[in-house]
């Protein structure tokens, strides 16, 4: 399994690259890498081509996976499928860089469920019934089927949540005390909550 931190968003509302935002313990991307590494897995950063040089300087020892422009999708789905194209045999534990409150224990629970229930296409937490697709595990088999649907023109919407509807998913409700871990920080005003 490969752990991946998604950093390739445009960060328009934040006004600067969210993965490179600093906290007392390092950049947001660095914090999430460390959390993935507590699971003992190799972790990489997913970036877009405009970020590559800056991230290569900031993370010289970490693999950077650049969005594949040949894929006819954008956003997080483009990132996840780009990683799958590069590593078609790897299951992926995907996280977003803009969840700085994520607890490593949540990632451990996700990974433990993956180990306990082999054969599923994916593992996601749900928040009041809604999936949290940017802290999830996707199997190589499931991603291959999504790529096939895309190539056949049958993936009519290119959102992560729509993709989940085409996979056999194990869903885990988020306990109330863990909900803050899934908070996305998208705008400068959100930083007041840190």
């Amino acid at each position: 399994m490969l752990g991946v931190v998604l950093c390739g968003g445009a960060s328009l509302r934040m006004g600067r690259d969210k993965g490179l935002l600093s906290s007392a313990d390092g950049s947001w991307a660095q914090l999430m890498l460390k959390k993935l590494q507590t699971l003992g897995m190799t972790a990489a950063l997913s970036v877009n081509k405009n970020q590559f040089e800056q991230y290569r300087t900031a993370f010289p020892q970490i693999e950077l996976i650049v969005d594949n422009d040949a894929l006819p999708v954008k956003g997080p789905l483009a990132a996840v499928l780009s990683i799958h194209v590069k590593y078609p045999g790897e299951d992926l534990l995907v996280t977003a860089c803009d969840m700085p409150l994520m607890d490593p224990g949540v990632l451990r629970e996700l990974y433990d469920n993956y180990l306990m229930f082999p054969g599923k296409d994916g593992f996601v937490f749900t928040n009041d019934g809604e999936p949290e697709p940017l802290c999830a595990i996707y199997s190589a088999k499931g991603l291959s089927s999504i790529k096939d649907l895309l190539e056949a023109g049958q993936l009519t919407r290119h959102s992560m949540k729509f993709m989940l509807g085409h996979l056999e998913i194990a869903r885990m409700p988020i306990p109330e005390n863990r909900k803050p871990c899934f908070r996305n920080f998208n705008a400068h005003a959100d930083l007041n909550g840190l």
Side-chain angles (χ1 to χ4, degrees):
M1 177 175 292
L2 178 65
V4 184
V5 182
L6 303 181
C7 301
S11 299
L12 294 176
R13 286 178 284 168
M14 186 63 74
R16 52 191 287 219
D17 192 310
K18 289 186 281 187
L20 299 176
L21 285 175
S22 293
S23 71
D25 300 317
S27 69
W28 286 9
Q30 188 175 28
L31 291 176
M32 195 59 83
L33 281 170
K34 289 177 186 175
K35 292 170 187 180
L36 287 171
Q37 290 165 346
T38 66
L39 300 176
M41 67 178 58
T42 300
L45 296 172
S46 168
V47 299
N48 63 51
K49 64 183 177 185
N50 296 327
Q51 296 170 297
F52 180 77
E53 290 301 327
Q54 194 170 9
Y55 273 78
R56 186 169 67 170
T57 300
F59 298 95
Q61 305 300 317
I62 301 296
E63 180 177 9
L64 304 178
I65 303 172
V66 180
D67 292 347
N68 184 336
D69 288 339
L71 294 169
V73 289
K74 301 285 182 216
L77 184 58
V80 170
L81 289 178
S82 294
I83 300 158
H84 173 68
V85 166
K86 185 165 185 176
Y87 293 105
E90 290 284 348
D91 296 342
L92 306 178
L93 195 163
V94 174
T95 60
C97 69
D98 62 359
M99 291 192 290
L101 302 179
M102 180 54 65
D103 186 297
V106 172
L107 299 176
R108 169 58 63 188
E109 182 181 340
L110 182 65
Y111 186 64
D112 288 347
N113 272 277
Y114 162 82
L115 295 176
M116 287 190 298
F117 301 103
K120 295 283 187 184
D121 293 329
F123 299 81
V124 298
F125 287 99
T126 58
N127 192 345
D128 298 326
E130 289 295 315
E132 292 283 351
L134 299 184
C135 178
I137 292 176
Y138 300 105
S139 74
K141 176 178 73 79
L143 291 173
S144 179
S145 70
I146 295 300
K147 184 173 173 282
D148 290 346
L149 286 174
L150 179 65
E151 290 172 351
Q154 296 175 355
L155 197 66
T156 57
R157 293 199 335 247
H158 298 163
S159 76
M160 295 294 287
K161 288 183 180 181
F162 185 75
M163 176 191 80
L164 292 175
H166 293 83
L167 299 174
E168 186 179 338
I169 298 291
R171 298 172 188 266
M172 299 155 285
I174 304 169
E176 202 62 39
N177 67 328
R178 296 286 206 181
K179 286 185 178 181
C181 296
F182 290 83
R183 182 172 172 204
N184 291 96
F185 288 77
N186 292 313
H188 190 71
D190 295 341
L191 299 179
N192 295 331
L194 281 178

